[in-house]
Amino acid sequence: MTGLSSETATASSDPTRGGRRSVRVLLFSDDRTTRDSVRLAVGRRPAPDVEIDSWVECATAPAVLEAVHDGRADVLILDGEAAPLGGLGLCRQLKHEVFDCPPVVVLTGRPQDAWLASWSYADAAVAQPFDALTMSQAVVDVARALPDPTDH
């Protein structure tokens, strides 16, 4: 068992269909309720120009490492409160080990933990409990910053 709890995909493979950016999101948390809350908050289309093409859910750090190394995600959302290895330490590890690491949104336990997100090299941080607008906006912001796949 790799800790990969589920993978959902859509039929689209064109990341810029109709001026929209389709992204594959990896979501890591050892808590199913947290994963469900994040997916519900972000939704399928968090902005008119950003669409979630697929979700890869991971419940363990080794599953995240495997998925990232296999190139299965464009954006990562990592739960800083996961155990035994939290998303903040995992983010820092990925940023050090993975060339061209996808952008990372970390979920922190409280707003005062923003310094930990900075330490981890996260591209964005969302404090828990989060609201849908804040969560979806963080994903939209990092997705919009991705390189345009049509530029060569």
Side-chain angles (χ1 to χ4, degrees):
M1 174 87 179
T2 65
L4 197 62
S5 62
S6 70
E7 186 167 336
T8 310
T10 62
S12 171
S13 61
D14 180 8
T16 58
R17 186 180 57 228
R20 288 178 275 161
R21 180 174 300 261
S22 292
V23 294
R24 300 166 300 157
V25 178
L26 180 143
L27 173 56
F28 163 66
S29 179
D30 62 338
D31 182 350
R32 178 180 299 277
T33 304
T34 299
R35 293 193 310 266
D36 291 345
S37 296
V38 170
R39 275 194 341 275
L40 184 61
V42 174
R44 285 265 306 128
R45 179 158 297 147
D49 60 326
V50 177
E51 175 178 58
I52 306 302
D53 185 51
S54 64
W55 288 94
V56 176
E57 292 186 42
C58 299
T60 66
V64 172
L65 295 171
E66 179 183 324
V68 171
H69 286 294
D70 290 347
R72 290 189 271 164
D74 303 308
V75 172
L76 312 177
I77 302 173
L78 307 177
D79 182 0
E81 301 296 304
L85 178 59
L88 295 161
L90 186 55
C91 177
R92 188 172 173 94
Q93 178 181 348
L94 289 166
K95 293 291 187 168
H96 280 287
E97 294 179 0
V98 177
F99 175 74
D100 210 13
C101 182
V104 179
V105 176
V106 292
L107 305 177
T108 62
R110 57 199 181 126
Q112 296 88 339
D113 293 335
W115 72 272
L116 285 169
S118 178
W119 168 85
S120 74
Y121 304 114
D123 298 276
V126 177
Q128 295 185 53
F130 55 83
D131 60 79
L133 182 60
T134 304
M135 187 71 241
S136 62
Q137 190 61 53
V139 172
V140 167
D141 290 345
V142 298
R144 285 179 178 156
L146 288 168
D148 187 344
T150 60
D151 291 343
H152 299 297

